[in-house]
Amino acid sequence: MNTTLKRIDPRRPFTITAAGLRRITLGAADEMYALHDEAGQFGTAVPAAHGTAAKPRRTTQAAQRTLLVAAHSDRGALDEHARQTLAAAALIAGAATQVVLVVFGALHDDGGAPGADKIIELASFGSRAFAPEREVQALAACVARFAPDHVLLPDNAFGDGDLGRRYAALAGASVATQVVQIDAAQVGVYVHARRSLALRALPEVVLLAPGAVDPRLPFVGAGERIGAEIGETFDAAGSRYVDRGIEAVDAARVALEEADFIVSAGNGVSDVTAFGRLAEAFGAAVGASRVAVDNGLFRRDQQIGATGKTVEASVYVAFGISGAVQHLQGIKDCRHVIAVNLDASAPIVKRANLTIVGDTQSTIAALIDEIGRARQAAPHPQDTATLNQETEGVTA
Ligand SMILES: Cc1cc2nc3c(=O)[nH]c(=O)nc-3n(C[C@H](O)[C@H](O)[C@H](O)COP(=O)(O)OP(=O)(O)OC[C@H]3O[C@@H](n4cnc5c(N)ncnc54)[C@H](O)[C@@H]3O)c2cc1C
């Protein structure tokens, strides 16, 4: 008897059925995908994109309705959670429904690829500035312009969750927060300490929990950029809030789980002092593999992996780490993984977005030099502040 079961990659592209179930598209991943029609049913199959092949447009019908997605950008890009929220809108949108994306901050990426049909870039806003009243007015102006059926935002602590709640309160709109399940008709949220799932009809404002939707779509949106005049008209005059800016904290004091930039050392790092200097120069938090911790070079609370911390950094640089499955478990949610390893066939290379095949010590030394040169050419704002303070001290 043949007991070999074919395993299906659970992260393959899927659609959400009207019953709220994820339906992974069976068959070859790059053959055919089904699209929704207006009633949320599966429609015509079209060739899907895979690899370098162009993906089909989700719909080419004239828009009669709108789903609006709002999110702050992160250094000119949408983060994973924002892309999931955009994907949710694109997956539940019918053929005559357009997905309009409002980005608070600059967006250098193509918004069509993650599912937007129209993109409004409000470049004067951003996740580094605190302007809750102006933002909610700008969002209300976008809603007034497009009259969307629903507004979707990522439910995060970086501005979007707050903006969604403020908007719902301002508009007196129905809202669901921390939504873990969504389809064209309803949303689901955990209740009773996550022991039950409560379902309700799709509210006007949906705040999506992270990880509810796979952002890899088998189609693209039209990606048309439209007027950014919305939002530029709202000034800070009369605001009850004062933005006191962002205070830089020592990267070493940031909890690994919250760090956005982590450099991590494994058994292939022998010069721990130079590694520490590099982390400081980058302003990155420090992580380590279990072997590096067991060797006494790093603290136990710096261990990353199955029996250590799970991290979600935008950038994770693994120096001399082989990428054992237990370590990879701890970095599964990192956005960009960069590996430095002598062995081009180490498992970490498969996970990495970029690999430097080379020696950790010489790479660390070269990076420290490069950062020094870059700082001299364009001083870091913090360096300038320190310099200014010192200069003031001298003249006083
Ligand atoms: C139950 C259990 C739980 C575990 N939990 C964890 C965990 O939470 N976290 C964790 O990390 N591990 C965990 N492990 C251990 C894990 O299996 C690996 O042993 C460990 O991750 C290996 O660490 P490493 O990659 O640093 O070392 P190694 O496996 O020794 O790999 C070193 C790597 O560095 C490269 N290298 C060597 N010298 C250089 C150089 N000069 N320049 C560049 N590259 C170089 C090598 O090519 C190699 O790829 C666990 C194991 C078990 C059984």
Side-chain angles (χ1 to χ4, degrees):
M1 190 175 71
N2 181 5
T3 53
T4 314
L5 287 176
K6 192 175 174 217
R7 299 193 66 201
I8 294 169
D9 176 3
R11 291 182 64 83
R12 281 173 57 170
F14 66 94
T15 44
I16 301 169
T17 67
L21 298 172
R22 282 185 181 198
R23 176 167 290 177
I24 293 171
T25 312
L26 298 176
D30 50 354
E31 282 171 1
M32 306 286 273
Y33 290 99
L35 301 181
H36 287 279
D37 66 14
E38 195 56 36
Q41 303 297 313
F42 292 113
T44 325
V46 291
H50 192 68
T52 53
K55 292 184 182 182
R57 279 265 297 278
R58 179 181 63 81
T59 180
T60 49
Q61 282 191 30
Q64 289 164 13
R65 313 171 76 101
T66 299
L67 290 177
L68 196 135
V69 177
H72 287 78
S73 61
D74 179 17
R75 283 157 291 178
L78 296 179
D79 68 13
E80 181 76 0
H81 194 178
R83 293 168 83 89
Q84 291 169 1
T85 310
L86 187 53
L91 285 164
I92 63 173
T97 300
Q98 62 176 350
V99 175
V100 176
L101 170 67
V102 182
V103 184
F104 287 83
L107 181 69
H108 307 314
D109 288 354
D110 168 21
D117 297 311
K118 290 201 171 105
I119 300 137
I120 301 171
E121 182 192 42
L122 303 178
S124 67
F125 294 99
S127 53
R128 301 185 71 79
F130 186 63
E133 289 160 322
R134 289 172 61 221
E135 287 187 351
V136 81
Q137 284 174 41
L139 180 57
C142 293
V143 171
R145 177 159 162 191
F146 292 100
D149 293 345
H150 307 280
V151 178
L152 292 86
L153 300 100
D155 200 355
N156 61 26
F158 313 117
D160 300 320
D162 184 53
L163 176 61
R165 286 165 175 83
R166 281 177 193 274
Y167 171 71
L170 178 79
S174 55
V175 59
T177 62
Q178 284 296 311
V179 168
V180 293
Q181 183 177 304
I182 182 167
D183 66 27
Q186 59 187 13
V187 292
V189 298
Y190 286 126
V191 289
H192 301 136
R194 298 173 72 97
R195 278 182 288 116
S196 324
L197 188 70
L199 300 175
R200 59 152 294 168
L202 209 61
E204 288 157 281
V205 178
V206 176
L207 291 164
L208 204 69
V213 172
D214 189 331
R216 293 171 303 171
L217 298 172
F219 49 69
V220 295
E224 180 196 347
R225 297 241 174 192
I226 56 173
E229 67 283 356
I230 295 175
E232 307 299 340
T233 52
F234 303 106
D235 58 36
S239 172
R240 288 171 297 160
Y241 298 93
V242 177
D243 184 358
R244 297 205 181 278
I246 292 175
E247 189 185 337
V249 294
D250 181 2
R253 280 171 41 209
V254 176
L256 273 174
E257 295 92 328
E258 290 172 19
D260 196 43
F261 186 5
I262 298 174
V263 290
S264 203
N267 205 15
V269 172
S270 52
D271 189 345
V272 176
T273 311
F275 175 78
R277 282 214 314 279
L278 177 68
E280 208 174 304
F282 268 145
V286 171
S289 74
R290 178 159 140 179
V291 169
V293 170
D294 287 349
N295 288 345
L297 300 175
F298 296 90
R299 298 190 313 268
R300 182 63 61 196
D301 65 1
Q302 291 177 308
Q303 181 182 319
I304 290 171
T307 46
K309 303 244 164 96
T310 300
V311 294
E312 298 178 9
S314 293
V315 180
Y316 183 83
V317 193
F319 287 93
I321 294 179
S322 59
V325 63
Q326 295 89 354
H327 190 83
L328 295 183
Q329 223 168 308
I331 62 169
K332 65 181 180 354
D333 296 324
C334 288
R335 191 155 156 213
H336 303 292
V337 173
I338 300 171
V340 181
N341 203 304
L342 283 174
D343 179 4
S345 62
I348 189 84
V349 176
K350 278 209 188 91
R351 170 63 178 85
N353 304 88
L354 173 77
T355 299
I356 298 169
V357 180
D359 174 54
T360 49
Q361 277 61 245
S362 51
T363 307
I364 287 170
L367 283 170
I368 292 173
D369 285 352
E370 196 56 45
I371 294 168
R373 265 197 295 277
R375 286 269 158 82
Q376 268 180 346
H380 194 267
Q382 261 173 279
D383 300 344
T384 321
T386 317
L387 196 70
N388 289 343
Q389 277 167 12
E390 282 167 6
T391 318
E392 279 163 22
V394 170
T395 49

Coordinates of all heavy atoms in Angstrom, one line a residue, residues 266-268 289-291 303-308 320-324 326-327 340-343 346 358-361, ligand 1:
G266 N 25.6 33.6 14.9 CA 25.6 32.1 15.1 C 27.0 31.6 15.4 O 27.9 32.4 15.7
N267 N 27.2 30.3 15.2 CA 28.4 29.7 15.5 C 29.5 30.1 14.6 O 30.7 30.0 14.9 CB 28.2 28.2 15.3 CG 29.2 27.3 16.1 OD1 29.9 27.8 17.0 ND2 29.3 26.1 15.8
G268 N 29.2 30.8 13.5 CA 30.2 31.2 12.5 C 30.7 32.6 12.9 O 31.5 33.2 12.1
S289 N 21.9 32.6 17.7 CA 21.4 31.2 17.6 C 21.6 30.5 19.0 O 22.3 31.0 19.8 CB 22.1 30.5 16.5 OG 23.4 30.2 17.0
R290 N 21.0 29.3 19.1 CA 21.1 28.6 20.3 C 22.6 28.2 20.6 O 23.1 28.3 21.7 CB 20.2 27.4 20.3 CG 20.4 26.6 21.6 CD 19.2 25.7 21.8 NE 19.5 24.4 22.3 CZ 18.7 23.5 22.6 NH1 17.4 23.6 22.4 NH2 19.1 22.3 23.1
V291 N 23.3 27.8 19.5 CA 24.7 27.4 19.7 C 25.5 28.6 20.3 O 26.3 28.4 21.2 CB 25.3 26.8 18.4 CG1 26.8 26.7 18.5 CG2 24.6 25.5 18.1
Q303 N 18.3 34.6 22.5 CA 18.2 33.4 21.6 C 16.9 33.6 20.8 O 15.8 33.8 21.3 CB 18.1 32.1 22.4 CG 18.0 30.9 21.5 CD 17.9 29.6 22.3 OE1 18.7 29.4 23.3 NE2 17.1 28.7 21.9
I304 N 17.1 33.3 19.5 CA 15.9 33.4 18.6 C 15.6 32.0 18.0 O 16.6 31.2 17.7 CB 16.2 34.4 17.4 CG1 16.2 35.8 18.0 CG2 15.2 34.2 16.3 CD1 16.7 36.8 17.0
G305 N 14.4 31.6 18.0 CA 14.0 30.3 17.5 C 13.0 29.6 18.3 O 12.3 30.2 19.2
A306 N 12.8 28.3 18.1 CA 11.7 27.6 18.7 C 11.7 27.6 20.2 O 10.6 27.8 20.8 CB 11.7 26.1 18.2
T307 N 12.9 27.6 20.8 CA 13.0 27.6 22.2 C 13.5 29.0 22.7 O 13.9 29.1 23.8 CB 13.9 26.5 22.8 OG1 15.0 26.4 22.0 CG2 13.2 25.2 22.7
G308 N 13.5 29.9 21.8 CA 13.9 31.3 22.1 C 12.7 32.3 21.7 O 11.6 31.9 21.8
G320 N 26.7 33.9 10.1 CA 27.2 32.5 10.5 C 26.2 31.7 11.2 O 26.5 31.0 12.2
I321 N 24.9 31.7 10.7 CA 23.8 30.9 11.3 C 23.4 29.9 10.2 O 23.1 30.3 9.0 CB 22.6 31.8 11.7 CG1 23.1 32.6 12.9 CG2 21.4 30.9 12.1 CD1 22.0 33.6 13.4
S322 N 23.4 28.6 10.5 CA 23.1 27.6 9.4 C 21.7 27.6 9.0 O 21.4 27.3 7.8 CB 23.5 26.2 10.0 OG 22.7 25.9 11.1
G323 N 20.8 28.0 9.9 CA 19.4 28.0 9.5 C 18.7 26.7 9.8 O 17.8 26.2 9.0
A324 N 19.0 26.1 11.0 CA 18.3 24.9 11.4 C 16.8 25.3 11.6 O 16.4 26.4 11.8 CB 18.9 24.5 12.8
Q326 N 14.7 24.8 13.8 CA 14.3 25.5 15.1 C 14.6 27.0 15.0 O 13.9 27.8 15.6 CB 15.0 24.9 16.3 CG 14.7 23.4 16.5 CD 15.6 22.4 15.8 OE1 16.4 22.8 15.0 NE2 15.4 21.1 16.1
H327 N 15.7 27.4 14.4 CA 16.0 28.8 14.3 C 15.1 29.5 13.3 O 14.5 30.5 13.6 CB 17.5 29.0 13.8 CG 17.9 30.4 13.9 ND1 18.4 31.0 15.1 CD2 17.9 31.4 13.0 CE1 18.6 32.2 14.9 NE2 18.4 32.6 13.6
V340 N 24.7 35.8 5.9 CA 26.2 35.9 5.6 C 26.7 34.5 6.0 O 26.7 34.1 7.2 CB 26.9 37.0 6.4 CG1 28.3 37.0 6.1 CG2 26.2 38.3 6.1
N341 N 27.2 33.7 5.1 CA 27.6 32.4 5.4 C 28.6 31.9 4.4 O 28.5 32.2 3.2 CB 26.4 31.4 5.4 CG 26.6 30.2 6.2 OD1 27.5 29.5 6.0 ND2 25.7 30.0 7.2
L342 N 29.6 31.1 4.8 CA 30.6 30.6 3.9 C 30.0 29.5 3.0 O 30.5 29.2 1.9 CB 31.7 29.9 4.7 CG 32.7 30.9 5.4 CD1 33.7 30.0 6.3 CD2 33.5 31.6 4.3
D343 N 28.9 28.9 3.5 CA 28.3 27.7 2.8 C 27.1 28.1 2.0 O 26.0 28.4 2.6 CB 28.0 26.7 3.9 CG 27.4 25.4 3.3 OD1 27.3 25.3 2.1 OD2 27.0 24.6 4.1
A346 N 23.8 26.2 2.8 CA 23.3 26.2 4.2 C 21.8 26.4 4.1 O 21.3 27.2 3.2 CB 23.9 27.2 5.1
G358 N 30.4 34.4 2.2 CA 31.7 34.9 2.6 C 31.9 34.8 4.1 O 31.0 34.3 4.8
D359 N 33.0 35.2 4.5 CA 33.4 35.1 5.9 C 32.7 36.2 6.7 O 32.6 37.4 6.3 CB 34.9 35.2 6.0 CG 35.4 35.2 7.4 OD1 35.0 34.3 8.2 OD2 36.1 36.2 7.8
T360 N 32.2 35.8 7.9 CA 31.4 36.8 8.7 C 32.4 37.9 9.2 O 32.0 39.1 9.2 CB 30.8 36.1 10.0 OG1 31.8 35.3 10.6 CG2 29.6 35.3 9.7
Q361 N 33.6 37.5 9.7 CA 34.5 38.5 10.2 C 34.8 39.6 9.2 O 34.8 40.8 9.5 CB 35.7 37.9 10.8 CG 35.6 37.3 12.2 CD 34.5 36.2 12.3 OE1 33.5 36.4 13.0 NE2 34.7 35.1 11.6
Ligands
LIG1 C1 14.5 20.9 20.8 C2 15.5 21.9 20.1 C3 15.2 23.3 20.2 C4 16.1 24.1 19.6 N1 15.8 25.5 19.6 C5 16.7 26.3 19.0 C6 16.4 27.8 19.0 O1 15.4 28.2 19.6 N2 17.2 28.5 18.3 C7 18.3 28.1 17.6 O2 19.0 28.9 17.0 N3 18.6 26.8 17.6 C8 17.8 25.9 18.3 N4 18.1 24.6 18.3 C9 19.4 24.2 17.8 C10 19.4 24.0 16.3 O3 19.0 22.8 15.9 C11 20.9 24.3 15.7 O4 21.7 23.4 16.3 C12 21.4 25.7 15.9 O5 20.4 26.6 15.5 C13 22.7 25.9 15.1 O6 23.2 27.1 15.4 P1 24.2 27.8 14.4 O7 23.5 27.9 13.0 O8 24.7 29.1 15.0 O9 25.5 26.8 14.4 P2 26.0 25.8 13.3 O10 25.0 24.8 13.0 O11 27.3 25.3 13.8 O12 26.2 26.6 12.0 C14 27.2 27.6 11.8 C15 27.0 28.2 10.4 O13 28.0 29.2 10.3 C16 28.7 29.0 9.0 N5 30.0 29.5 9.3 C17 31.0 28.9 10.0 N6 32.1 29.8 10.0 C18 31.8 30.8 9.2 C19 32.5 32.0 8.9 N7 33.8 32.2 9.3 N8 31.9 32.9 8.1 C20 30.6 32.7 7.6 N9 29.9 31.6 7.9 C21 30.5 30.7 8.8 C22 28.6 27.6 8.7 O14 28.7 27.4 7.3 C23 27.2 27.2 9.3 O15 26.2 27.3 8.3 C24 17.3 23.7 18.9 C25 17.5 22.3 18.8 C26 16.6 21.4 19.4 C27 16.9 19.9 19.3

